Amino acid sequence: MKIENTKAQMRKGVLEFCILSVLKDNDAYVAEILGTLKDAKLLVVEGTIYPLLTRLKNAGLLNYRWEESTSGPPRKYYGLTETGKLFLKELDVTWNELRNAVNIVTSQKTTKK
């Protein structure tokens, strides 16, 4: 078993949550979303993010709008829908519960039998 495969699966498991969180306060276009993820050491390529954004949009969690750019073609800005905001709140609760549970399990010094 390769550690890199496991690490990649762990990252993929939280990617939707992270993307929705990036869009929580402000709309953003793909380069901004990727930059935020990269700054957090979540390396994601465009080939991964576009299908994910489309899936989130088709699920009614995101919407988008086109905006003219001063440096190139128009940009597609993504934002959370009201459904997306509620979905993110639920994920946030679940993430906190999961994080706390994992912290408890991984910080235990001895195994109970």
Side-chain angles (χ1 to χ4, degrees), residues 2-101:
K2 294 185 180 180
I3 189 68
E4 290 307 317
N5 291 344
T6 301
K7 289 161 84 174
Q9 289 302 316
M10 290 173 79
R11 283 188 209 99
K12 285 179 185 177
V14 297
L15 191 53
E16 285 183 17
F17 177 49
C18 290
I19 289 171
L20 294 173
S21 295
V22 167
L23 299 171
K24 176 176 57 175
D25 296 321
N26 296 302
D27 293 357
Y29 62 100
V30 171
E32 292 174 323
I33 296 168
L34 287 171
T36 301
L37 296 173
K38 181 181 175 187
D39 290 346
K41 307 290 189 250
L42 282 170
L43 302 178
V44 181
V45 295
E46 286 186 28
T48 301
I49 199 166
Y50 281 110
L52 183 52
L53 289 169
T54 299
R55 191 167 72 244
L56 293 171
K57 182 188 73 64
N58 290 344
L61 304 178
L62 297 181
N63 55 27
Y64 67 86
R65 62 182 162 72
W66 289 98
E67 201 171 286
E68 291 297 324
S69 170
T70 56
S71 60
R75 294 177 175 163
K76 186 186 279 189
Y77 280 80
Y78 290 89
L80 294 179
T81 62
E82 287 305 313
T83 302
K85 291 175 185 177
L86 294 172
F87 191 84
L88 178 58
K89 282 183 182 181
E90 287 293 319
L91 287 180
D92 198 39
V93 169
T94 300
W95 173 253
N96 286 325
E97 290 171 350
L98 181 60
R99 184 182 61 209
N100 290 336

